[in-house]
Structures are given as C-alpha cells and as structure tokens.
Amino acid sequence: NQNFSATNNDNSIEAHASINGDANLDFLNIPLTIPEMNLPYTTLTTLSLKDFSIWEKTGLKEFLKTTKQSFDLNVKIQYKKNKDKHSIAVPLGMFYKFISQNVDSLDSYFENVRDNALDFLTMSYNEVKNKLDKYKAGQSRVIPGTVSTTSFNILGSEFSVPSHALGLPSLELPHLHIPRNLLKLSLPDFKELSAVNSIFIPAMGNITYDFSFKSSVITLNTNAGLYNQSDIVAHFLSSSSFVIDALQYKLEGTSRVTRKRGLKLATALSLSNKFVEGSHDSTISFTKKNMEASATTTAKVHIPVLRMNFKQELNGNTKSKPTISSSVELKYDFNSPKLFSTAKGAMDHKLSLESLTSYFSIESSTKGDIKGVVLSREYSGAIASEASTYLNSKVTRSSVKLQVSSKVDGIW
C-alpha cells in the first residue's frame, strides 16, 4: 500500500508519504535436494545436498524469527510558517531628492528652448511678411484680380466651350497668431511617490523531518528540525532497534545560535552503542571585545579484547592576550588470550600557547607508560618529554627534556 499527500495553507506546508507491505518467506522452509554434478570441462564433482533448508541452515530462522515479514515506512516533512517579518531599510529619500533636482533643471531648460523657438518663429515670419508688403507696394502696375477665357468651338463637332472668369488669390500673408496655451507648454510635474522606506521579508519558520521504518527485524527512527525562536536551534536524533545488539545505536546532535550580547554557537553530539560511546561539546562566542572557544571530545571503546578511554580538551580566548591550551588523555587495556598478549597503559599530552605583538611562548609536555605480556614474557616502558620556546625582539630561549625507560623480562 502507498499513500502520498501534500498540503499548503496559511500556517504550514506539509508533505507525507507512507508505504507498507507484507512478505511470505515460507518457500525458504521447503527442503531442497541437489544431486552430485560434474563440472563441465573439469574432473571436479559437487557434493550432493539432501533435505537442505535455507531457512534453518543459513541462520535466517534465528535472524528473522518468522517467515511472515512485514514493513512500514513513513516520511513526513513540515514547514511551519512564521508570522513575523524582517524589515530592511531602503533609503529612497535621497533617490527622490536627486530625481527632483534634475527634473527642475530639465524643466527650466525646456522652458528656455520653448521661448527661444517661439521668438525665432515669430521674428522670421514677420520679416518675410514685411518684405512681401514692400514688394507689393513698389509695383507700378496692378496685378489683376481675375483672368477671363473666350468661348470657342471644337473642330469637327457642334460643341462650344463658353467663356470663364477665374479669380486669383490675393498675394499676402495673414497676421501670425500664436495661441496663449502654447506659452504654457511645459513638462509634467514630478510628484514624489509615497515613500517606501522598508522592505519586509518573512522570517524563517520551523522545519521538521520525521522518518521511520519498522519491520519484524529492525526499527529505524530519525528526526531532524531547524527551529527559529529566540535562538536558532538545529536538532538531530536517530536510533535503531535490532535483533543484534551490536547494530543498535542512538545518535543525537544539537546546535544552537544565540544572538544576545554578541554571537554564540554551541554544539553537542553524542553516540551510544554496545561497543562504542562518544560525545562532543563545543562553544564559540564572539563579542565586541573578546573571542572565546572551547571543545571537549570523549570516546569509549569496549570490545571483548580492548577497553579504551579517550578525552581531548581545547580552550582559547583573547581576553587579556591570545592563549590556546590543549590536553589529550588516553587509557587502554588490551587482552587477547588467543594471542597470549596483554597491554595496558596511558598517555597524557598538554600544550599551551601565548602570543602578543611583543612575544611568543609555547610549552608542551608528554607522558606515557605501558605494561603487558607478549608470549608469556612481561615487558614495560615509559616516556616523558617536555619542551618550551620563548621568543621576543631581544631574547630567544628554548629547552627540551626527554626521558625513556623500558624493560623486557629475561632480555633487559
């Protein structure tokens, strides 16, 4: 069976998918009989099998428990919308002021061009009219006002064309009349729009993801989310339930961003399993006057032949001067009866660093020891070292110290 759905409304966006089914593995329980067979082109012969059950002989019976298998898969993604909005300032006032100033200059220039063009047109027209009037007044003979044609007969026909009188137009220019509205011709006024001084962007909402898979053998669950609240938080959780203990686990992680009094990022991770455990915690913070960071990592391994503990710490800040310090601790216990060997020991390492514009200093120390048995012969050893360096504009100083010891029963 399959089911898919998706919704979108004012409050959230969701998508969901689910798949489930059944399987019958009874056919694996049917006994098989395979006779001997000769391999082609060889002298080899395969072994015969009689009443062989795949379900019982291959371990599926202990692993799956039953031949009736079923599974259920579900996936869901959801986004919850945030009603809040972020305002981003947009300084449009200066933009409007710049446009307004340039529009005023352009309007003034247009009026000057308009007035000059009208003056030139009027002067040119009046000059031509005056010259024409003088020309007419200086003529000695009068220009006739009409032209007449005589009547005549068309040859070869009885038709005749009567006489006509054609009136000639008066050769003079009218007075130039410029409409008053033309003097009011101008560019349209620029009107400043209602100021949009901010752009609003919807705030990030909450995103969640859920996954689950269930069967008669294994169950898997995974959840993840990104939440925008007073802090921004990311969370992850995954776990499994299995018929084999070694495959069961739980993994969880959280990361948080805090924006109060500066910026702070905190992260935490953890893993638990029958054979392995681990955790990690780290913090980074920024303020106007200081930066500080710290991280702690631990791990444990516990398998039949080995027990081990590991721890690391790292710290740094810039309060009075930049400093960094680190430490690593390791403890182990190895025991293998089949190899007739054992080993047990520890190691410790420390490092510190200081720095200013006037000097630089670094110190390091390491200690370690081991004790065990190899082929029924005991052995032991130890190491210790120290190193330091100091440097400034006038002095450079360094020192190194190393101690090593070892012992093997019956040899040295």
Side-chain angles (χ1 to χ4, degrees), residues 147-308:
V147 175
S148 300
T149 60
T150 61
S151 63
F152 60 90
N153 294 325
I154 299 175
L155 297 177
S157 65
E158 296 180 355
F159 295 99
S160 62
V161 178
S163 61
H164 290 277
L166 299 176
L168 296 178
S170 175
L171 186 61
E172 61 182 6
L173 294 177
H175 292 285
L176 180 63
H177 175 70
I178 299 177
R180 294 184 178 181
N181 292 335
L182 190 62
L183 297 176
K184 298 180 180 180
L185 181 64
S186 63
L187 293 177
D189 294 335
F190 173 76
K191 184 178 181 180
E192 182 176 333
L193 300 176
S194 57
V196 180
N197 296 322
S198 300
I199 297 177
F200 296 94
I201 299 177
M204 184 185 71
N206 298 333
I207 304 173
T208 57
Y209 168 81
D210 298 296
F211 170 86
S212 67
F213 178 82
K214 297 180 181 180
S215 70
S216 58
V217 179
I218 186 174
T219 299
L220 292 174
N221 290 289
T222 300
N223 309 101
L226 181 62
Y227 307 95
N228 182 20
Q229 299 168 349
S230 58
D231 299 334
I232 298 178
V233 181
H235 183 259
F236 175 83
L237 174 63
S238 179
S239 62
S240 71
S241 176
F242 209 73
V243 294
I244 301 176
D245 294 340
L247 297 180
Q248 296 185 14
Y249 75 93
K250 180 180 179 182
L251 176 63
E252 186 174 7
T254 302
S255 185
R256 181 186 299 271
V257 178
T258 304
R259 294 165 288 183
K260 296 179 180 179
R261 297 185 299 275
L263 182 65
K264 181 179 180 180
L265 172 64
T267 303
L269 297 172
S270 65
L271 171 65
S272 61
N273 179 263
K274 181 179 180 181
F275 300 124
V276 179
E277 294 180 7
S279 65
H280 172 80
D281 294 282
S282 64
T283 303
I284 302 176
S285 60
F286 298 91
T287 61
K288 295 181 179 179
K289 298 181 179 180
N290 183 36
M291 180 183 72
E292 188 172 358
S294 65
T296 302
T297 303
T298 61
K300 293 182 180 181
V301 178
H302 33 81
I303 58 179
V305 297
L306 178 64
R307 298 286 189 273
M308 184 177 69

Side-chain angles (χ1 to χ4, degrees), residues 10-270:
D10 294 338
N11 297 321
S12 64
I13 301 175
E14 295 183 10
H16 180 263
S18 64
I19 303 174
N20 56 72
D22 299 310
N24 189 346
L25 304 180
D26 285 338
F27 68 93
L28 297 177
N29 208 11
I30 300 175
L32 299 178
T33 299
I34 304 175
E36 292 183 355
M37 291 185 298
N38 293 324
L39 297 178
Y41 309 105
T42 67
T43 59
L44 301 177
T45 302
T46 62
L47 298 177
S48 62
L49 295 177
K50 186 176 182 181
D51 297 332
F52 180 80
S53 174
I54 298 178
W55 177 257
E56 295 182 357
K57 298 299 182 180
T58 60
L60 291 177
K61 181 178 181 180
E62 301 298 329
F63 183 70
L64 299 178
K65 303 299 182 181
T66 179
T67 57
K68 307 297 183 181
Q69 298 294 315
S70 63
F71 71 92
D72 188 3
L73 174 67
N74 286 278
V75 178
K76 181 180 179 181
I77 301 176
Q78 184 184 58
Y79 175 74
K80 289 187 177 181
K81 300 178 182 180
N82 196 333
K83 302 298 183 181
D84 296 335
K85 294 182 180 181
H86 296 295
S87 176
I88 301 177
V90 180
L92 294 179
M94 297 296 295
F95 177 72
Y96 285 137
K97 183 178 180 180
F98 173 78
I99 293 180
S100 179
Q101 290 177 351
N102 285 272
V103 167
D104 292 341
S105 300
L106 181 61
D107 189 62
S108 176
Y109 176 76
F110 177 80
E111 291 179 356
N112 291 333
V113 172
R114 179 202 62 193
D115 296 340
N116 293 334
L118 292 177
D119 291 344
F120 175 78
L121 177 62
T122 303
M123 291 177 60
S124 299
Y125 183 85
N126 292 332
E127 183 178 354
V128 172
K129 187 176 184 303
N130 292 334
K131 290 182 178 181
L132 180 60
D133 292 342
K134 291 180 180 180
Y135 173 78
K136 290 172 60 180
Q139 295 296 323
S140 58
R141 66 183 174 89
V142 179
I143 299 175
T146 60
V147 175
S148 300
T149 60
T150 61
S151 63
F152 60 90
N153 294 325
I154 299 175
L155 297 177
S157 65
E158 296 180 355
F159 295 99
S160 62
V161 178
S163 61
H164 290 277
L166 299 176
L168 296 178
S170 175
L171 186 61
E172 61 182 6
L173 294 177
H175 292 285
L176 180 63
H177 175 70
I178 299 177
R180 294 184 178 181
N181 292 335
L182 190 62
L183 297 176
K184 298 180 180 180
L185 181 64
S186 63
L187 293 177
D189 294 335
F190 173 76
K191 184 178 181 180
E192 182 176 333
L193 300 176
S194 57
V196 180
N197 296 322
S198 300
I199 297 177
F200 296 94
I201 299 177
M204 184 185 71
N206 298 333
I207 304 173
T208 57
Y209 168 81
D210 298 296
F211 170 86
S212 67
F213 178 82
K214 297 180 181 180
S215 70
S216 58
V217 179
I218 186 174
T219 299
L220 292 174
N221 290 289
T222 300
N223 309 101
L226 181 62
Y227 307 95
N228 182 20
Q229 299 168 349
S230 58
D231 299 334
I232 298 178
V233 181
H235 183 259
F236 175 83
L237 174 63
S238 179
S239 62
S240 71
S241 176
F242 209 73
V243 294
I244 301 176
D245 294 340
L247 297 180
Q248 296 185 14
Y249 75 93
K250 180 180 179 182
L251 176 63
E252 186 174 7
T254 302
S255 185
R256 181 186 299 271
V257 178
T258 304
R259 294 165 288 183
K260 296 179 180 179
R261 297 185 299 275
L263 182 65
K264 181 179 180 180
L265 172 64
T267 303
L269 297 172
S270 65

Side-chain angles (χ1 to χ4, degrees), residues 306-324:
L306 178 64
R307 298 286 189 273
M308 184 177 69
N309 294 334
F310 173 83
K311 183 178 181 180
Q312 181 187 33
E313 293 183 353
L314 178 65
N315 296 281
N317 64 75
T318 59
K319 290 182 178 179
S320 58
K321 54 186 176 182
T323 60
I324 298 176

